[in-house]
């Protein structure tokens, strides 16, 4: 069965609303005569057919840039017994591709000469990038006798089989526990990759033997562009036509959402070409952007003589993180505070009647984006229609377009960064965070200092920081498998600590932190119709009537732990909320719809985190 991004989508051929899975995987071909990757099946350089190169889906391959090549060389130098072996194994003058693959942390398939030669991955426990040879890479090692390798006398092997030293007829390289080693059968029937354990080799993966295909020449990236020129022209023409059609259809002002990354760079130039002028660019400074990105965006806008719409979250992340704790992949309060709300505010100010936002979204980036249509309305900015002209482009499409048109990408890509954005995002892998630490040590030390302080207050083990476990509230299974057993059930509570109980008609909420300030609480309780009666006893707030249920808790959180993100004010349909340290309610305007409660990321995530992100469980447990 093929693997890739499986997307559940409604099928028009059926009357029912049942969803069916669709496989999303970017096609990739290789020209064996020109030795270049192809985006389509025909080579534009020699006119011949390319062969389909099977890579791990979704196959969002990208060029190995200077920072990537530096990392790859370092991992190969660490793997092989000599530096000479590294350059016999890979000719770094040729185009090299990387393809992200599922691993416990950051990992790529390494593709050269139209073949997968191995995996470059970040070893979380050893805290370094490592290389594991595979397929054609193992064949090349065995053919050229590049240590480490072993030839064994067995007739066949299988995965997890352990080869004894007495069964090895030829061995080259240092025998080090945990080291990957290429394995060939003396009969020539099979090849494998194994790992050295004690006095044996444990087979990790095995396949029928193949040879390394040494393709001709040392093509350049200019050759790659020439081979794909027609394909790029067609992609460009389709995207430009799509933008023009949408502008005519929607008839609203247009702007480009510009992150400073490669995808938004290409999207901007496509939009500029379609319109015939430089469109405004919207940049959201989350307050945790890398300095190079902020300076790149500003210099780019100046060079293009374009209008910059600057959404600015300021210090809101650092204010909120002291209340909510570190964000996590399953606890992403930060997106609402430092991304969606500042963007919505900026757009509402500049385009009060709505607009078209051109975004650099691509379907091969994630399952969520693969499910997304090409045109949609964001629920946080309902007056804005988002369109994605490069939705069907792969990362290689994007990079070849950048090279072909001599566009200037963010220089961080050449320092080893693949994704840009919030530099401490929990969706980032440890291998990527290591790059942040190397390039911006002062920034990373600030975050580590916060994690150490927060972890100490929660009695978190040192592995919580060292292994990046703070990136999850509930640690997933693939990560648990590589952890010591004592960390299997590790749970570090975060967010606002409280207890809640129902006593007859009353609701009692006890806070473990914060100060109960009557002035703030009375102000926010104006969102309810009529007077809400309550009294305070120590750290407890006792509401006399629990009929408003968890909305009372949400109002309490909003009153005492406001981070001034202004999400509630932005979402209020009556414009009845002003933020000045905390929410101030205009009772004459308020319609008591309680949308402000459900719009507050601090209140919503406080409820979610209480019961493993399950609000219904909270409701049922307390009879609310």
């Amino acid at each position: 069965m093929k693997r890739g991004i499986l997307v559940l989508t409604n099928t028009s051929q059926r009357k029912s609303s049942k969803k069916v899975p669709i496989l999303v995987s970017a096609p990739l071909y290789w020209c064996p005569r020109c030795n270049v990757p192809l985006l389509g099946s025909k080579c534009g350089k020699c006119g011949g057919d390319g062969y389909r190169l099977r890579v791990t889906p979704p196959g969002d391959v990208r060029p190995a840039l200077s920072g990537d090549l530096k990392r790859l060389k370092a991992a190969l130098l660490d793997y092989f017994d000599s530096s000479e072996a590294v350059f016999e194994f890979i000719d770094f003058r040729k185009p090299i591709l990387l393809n992200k693959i599922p691993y416990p942390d950051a990992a790529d398939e390494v593709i050269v000469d139209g073949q997968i030669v191995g995996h470059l991955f970040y070893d979380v426990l050893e805290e370094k990038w490592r290389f594991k040879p595979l397929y054609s890479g193992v064949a090349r090692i065995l053919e050229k006798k590049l240590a480490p390798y072993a030839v064994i006398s067995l007739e066949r092997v299988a995965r997890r089989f352990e080869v004894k030293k007495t069964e090895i007829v030829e061995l080259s390289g240092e025998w080090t526990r945990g080291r990957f080693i290429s394995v060939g059968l003396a009969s020539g029937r099979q090849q494998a990759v194994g790992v050295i354990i004690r006095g044996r080799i444990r087979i990790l993966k095995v396949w029928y033997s193949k040879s390394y295909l040494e393709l001709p020449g040392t093509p350049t990236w200019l050759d790659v562009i020439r081979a794909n020129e027609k394909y790029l022209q067609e992609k460009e023409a389709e995207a430009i036509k799509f933008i023009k059609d949408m502008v005519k259809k929607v008839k609203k002002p247009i702007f480009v959402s510009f992150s400073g990354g490669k995808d938004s760079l290409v999207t901007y130039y496509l939009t500029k070409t379609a319109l015939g002028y430089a469109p405004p660019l919207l940049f959201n400074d989350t307050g945790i952007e890398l300095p190079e990105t902020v300076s790149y965006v500003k210099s780019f806008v100046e060079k293009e003589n374009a209008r910059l719409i600057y959404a600015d979250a300021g210090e809101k992340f650092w204010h909120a993180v002291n209340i909510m704790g570190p964000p996590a992949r399953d606890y992403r309060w930060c997106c609402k505070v430092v991304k969606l709300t500042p963007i919505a505010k900026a757009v509402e100010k500049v385009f009060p009647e709505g607009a078209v936002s051109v975004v650099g979204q691509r379907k091969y980036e994630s399952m969520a984006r693969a499910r997304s249509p090409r045109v949609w309305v964001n629920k946080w900015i309902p007056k804005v229609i988002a369109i994605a002209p490069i939705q069907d482009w792969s990362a290689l499409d994007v990079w070849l377009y950048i090279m072909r048109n001599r566009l200037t990408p963010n220089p961080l890509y050449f320092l080893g960064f693949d994704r840009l954005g919030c530099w401490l995002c929990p969706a980032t892998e440890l291998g990527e965070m290591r790059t942040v630490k190397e390039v911006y040590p002062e920034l990373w030390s600030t975050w580590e200092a916060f994690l150490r302080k927060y972890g100490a207050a929660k009695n978190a083990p040192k592995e919580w920081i060292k292994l990046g476990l703070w990136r999850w509230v509930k640690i997933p299974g693939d990560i648990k498998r590589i952890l010591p057993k004592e960390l299997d059930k590790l749970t570090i509570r975060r967010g606002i600590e409280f207890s809640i109980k129902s006593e007859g008609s009353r609701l009692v909420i006890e806070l473990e932190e914060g100060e109960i300030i009557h002035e703030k609480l009375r102000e926010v309780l104006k969102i309810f119709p009529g007077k809400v009666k309550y009294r305070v006893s120590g750290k407890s707030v006792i509401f006399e009537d629990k009929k408003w249920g968890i909305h009372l808790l949400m109002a309490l959180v909003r009153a005492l732990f406001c981070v001034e993100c202004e999400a509630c004010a932005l979402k209020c349909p009556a414009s009845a909320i002003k933020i000045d340290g905390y929410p101030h309610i205009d009772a004459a305007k308020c319609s008591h719809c309680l949308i402000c409660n459900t719009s507050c990321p601090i209140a919503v995530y406080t409820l979610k985190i209480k019961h493993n992100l399950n609000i219904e469980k909270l409701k049922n447990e307390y009879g609310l």
Side-chain angles (χ1 to χ4, degrees):
M1 179 180 175
K2 293 181 180 179
R3 295 184 302 157
I5 294 180
L6 280 173
V7 182
L8 293 178
T9 183
N10 290 320
T11 173
S12 58
Q13 281 77 27
R14 301 182 183 183
K15 292 182 179 179
S16 71
S17 59
K18 188 176 181 180
K19 294 184 176 182
V20 295
I22 292 178
L23 187 73
V24 177
S25 186
L28 178 66
Y29 300 85
W30 204 277
C31 177
R33 292 160 298 279
C34 302
N35 193 12
V36 293
L38 301 176
L39 303 171
S41 59
K42 281 280 186 184
C43 177
K45 194 165 180 283
C46 70
D49 292 327
Y51 62 84
R52 182 72 182 265
L53 179 57
R54 305 291 177 181
V55 298
T56 300
D60 198 25
V61 300
R62 67 189 191 280
L65 303 177
S66 53
D68 303 307
L69 294 174
K70 181 180 177 182
R71 182 184 297 144
L72 176 59
K73 285 178 185 177
L76 289 171
L77 285 167
D78 183 56
Y79 176 72
F80 286 109
D81 281 6
S82 69
S83 58
E84 291 79 12
V86 171
F87 298 100
E88 280 193 75
F89 181 67
I90 288 183
D91 186 342
F92 284 90
R93 296 172 298 171
K94 297 180 179 181
I96 297 173
L97 299 181
L98 299 176
N99 179 42
K100 279 190 177 181
I101 51 176
Y103 254 68
D105 204 77
D108 288 294
E109 283 174 333
V110 181
I111 303 164
V112 63
D113 279 334
Q115 299 155 94
I116 296 171
V117 297
H119 290 171
L120 176 65
F121 71 99
Y122 187 74
D123 190 314
V124 173
L125 299 181
E126 293 197 18
E127 298 182 83
K128 67 177 183 178
W129 286 92
R130 298 182 65 192
F131 181 77
K132 179 168 71 176
L134 281 168
Y135 312 123
S136 296
V138 168
R140 189 166 183 82
I141 287 170
L142 294 172
E143 289 165 12
K144 289 186 169 286
K145 296 186 179 296
L146 306 175
Y149 71 88
V151 179
I152 60 177
S153 60
L154 299 171
E155 286 300 313
R156 63 182 300 123
V157 291
R159 185 169 173 261
R160 295 179 182 168
F161 183 85
E162 293 186 4
V163 180
K164 300 174 185 176
K165 269 192 173 181
T166 56
E167 295 165 332
I168 300 173
V169 296
E170 184 181 347
L171 177 66
S172 180
E174 187 178 339
W175 187 270
T176 305
R177 186 171 181 173
R179 190 180 197 186
F180 297 117
I181 186 167
S182 297
V183 178
L185 271 59
S187 65
R189 182 180 182 183
Q190 290 178 313
Q191 294 168 345
V193 63
V195 62
I196 297 171
I197 54 164
R198 302 181 299 278
R200 302 185 178 195
I201 298 174
R202 177 178 291 160
I203 301 299
L204 300 175
K205 198 173 186 67
V206 62
W207 56 90
Y208 288 112
S209 293
K210 58 173 65 181
S211 298
Y212 186 87
L213 182 61
E214 185 84 55
L215 294 180
T218 53
T220 65
W221 283 105
L222 182 58
D223 293 315
V224 179
I225 293 167
R226 287 171 179 162
N228 290 282
E229 178 61 34
K230 184 180 179 183
Y231 176 93
L232 290 171
Q233 287 177 359
E234 291 172 352
K235 277 282 188 180
E236 179 184 50
E238 191 281 331
I240 290 171
K241 182 180 183 300
F242 170 75
I243 295 168
K244 287 180 176 179
D245 289 346
M246 290 306 303
V247 170
K248 288 179 182 177
K249 185 176 181 179
V250 178
K251 294 183 174 62
K252 286 188 176 184
I254 191 168
F255 67 90
V256 174
S257 293
F258 193 73
S259 67
K262 67 183 190 306
D263 298 329
S264 58
L265 172 64
V266 168
T267 299
Y268 167 77
Y269 273 100
L270 290 169
T271 306
K272 180 182 177 182
T273 304
L275 299 178
Y277 63 86
L281 293 100
L282 170 69
F283 174 66
N284 179 44
D285 187 348
T286 60
I288 43 177
E289 301 293 318
L290 289 170
E292 194 74 42
T293 294
V294 177
S295 60
Y296 169 77
V297 169
K298 290 180 178 178
S299 63
F300 181 85
V301 169
E302 185 177 348
K303 178 185 173 184
E304 287 293 312
N305 195 26
R307 180 186 181 185
L308 176 62
I309 304 167
Y310 202 85
D312 190 2
E315 295 295 310
K316 287 184 173 60
F317 174 84
W318 297 106
H319 184 182
V321 77
N322 285 296
I323 295 171
M324 300 300 288
R329 297 185 187 189
D330 47 356
Y331 178 58
R332 296 181 72 164
W333 56 262
C334 49
C335 292
K336 311 295 188 301
V337 173
V338 302
K339 288 179 70 175
L340 292 175
T341 302
I343 290 172
K345 283 172 56 184
V347 171
E348 177 69 24
K349 182 178 179 180
V350 179
F351 304 107
E353 300 303 317
V356 174
S357 171
V358 193
V359 300
Q361 174 177 290
R362 298 185 301 105
K363 69 181 180 183
Y364 299 114
E365 294 179 283
S366 69
M367 187 177 293
R369 294 189 173 188
R371 282 197 300 261
S372 173
R374 206 176 184 187
V375 180
W376 72 95
V377 176
N378 189 308
K379 67 178 182 179
W380 275 79
I381 322 173
K383 293 181 182 178
V384 172
I385 296 173
I387 65 173
I390 63 169
Q391 176 76 355
D392 295 329
W393 290 39
S394 70
L396 188 56
D397 292 346
V398 169
W399 276 112
L400 292 187
Y401 187 85
I402 288 172
M403 295 177 189
R404 169 184 178 261
N405 292 278
R406 298 184 180 182
L407 308 183
T408 304
N410 192 318
L412 288 173
Y413 285 115
F414 302 99
L415 296 178
F417 289 87
D418 173 45
R419 64 170 298 280
L420 304 177
C422 303
W423 55 266
L424 50 71
C425 177
T428 305
E429 305 290 6
L430 282 185
E432 297 168 315
M433 289 180 175
R434 182 187 178 97
T435 307
V436 177
K437 186 176 182 178
E438 291 170 351
V439 179
Y440 295 101
E442 291 183 6
L443 277 182
W444 193 253
S445 64
T446 300
W447 181 236
E448 276 198 334
F450 170 80
L451 289 175
R452 283 195 297 270
K453 182 179 178 181
Y454 191 88
K458 302 287 184 177
N459 295 315
K462 62 181 181 180
E463 290 85 357
W464 188 69
I465 299 173
K466 182 180 178 181
L467 302 181
L469 302 181
W470 60 268
R471 294 172 296 160
W472 297 275
V473 172
K474 186 177 181 181
I475 301 172
D478 63 329
I479 300 300
K480 283 185 177 181
R481 281 192 288 273
I482 66 171
L483 296 179
K485 286 186 178 179
E486 61 269 21
L487 298 177
D488 264 6
K489 297 181 180 179
L490 177 67
T491 302
I492 302 298
R493 295 192 304 172
R494 58 187 98 185
I496 300 166
E497 299 285 0
F498 68 92
S499 63
I500 181 171
K501 61 182 177 180
S502 181
E503 294 181 349
S505 63
R506 298 186 303 175
L507 186 68
V508 181
I509 302 171
E510 183 177 357
L511 298 173
E512 295 184 21
E513 56 189 296
E515 182 183 358
I516 300 170
I517 301 174
H518 286 281
E519 180 185 3
K520 293 181 178 181
L521 185 53
R522 280 195 295 266
E523 184 65 34
V524 176
L525 290 178
K526 291 178 183 178
I527 65 173
F528 299 103
K531 185 176 181 180
V532 176
K533 295 181 180 180
Y534 74 93
R535 58 188 174 87
V536 175
S537 176
K539 286 284 187 180
S540 296
V541 180
I542 303 162
F543 292 99
E544 298 300 330
D545 189 344
K546 69 176 184 182
K547 70 177 180 179
W548 294 109
I550 58 173
H551 277 288
L552 292 170
L553 171 62
M554 298 175 88
L556 179 64
V557 168
R558 291 178 56 219
L560 305 184
F561 300 97
C562 178
V563 299
E564 299 185 78
C565 71
E566 300 183 64
C568 59
L570 187 72
K571 284 291 187 177
C572 178
S575 301
I577 303 174
K578 300 293 182 186
I579 304 296
D580 184 10
Y582 58 94
H584 292 258
I585 314 300
D586 186 335
K589 290 183 178 180
C590 181
S591 63
H592 314 297
C593 64
L594 304 184
I595 288 175
C596 53
N597 268 358
T598 55
S599 299
C600 173
I602 306 302
V604 168
Y605 277 91
T606 293
L607 290 181
K608 285 184 175 182
I609 201 68
K610 180 66 177 177
H611 280 293
N612 293 325
L613 316 184
N614 190 334
I615 293 180
E616 288 305 314
K617 186 175 180 181
L618 184 69
K619 288 180 180 178
N620 295 336
E621 183 167 337
Y622 300 112
L624 303 177

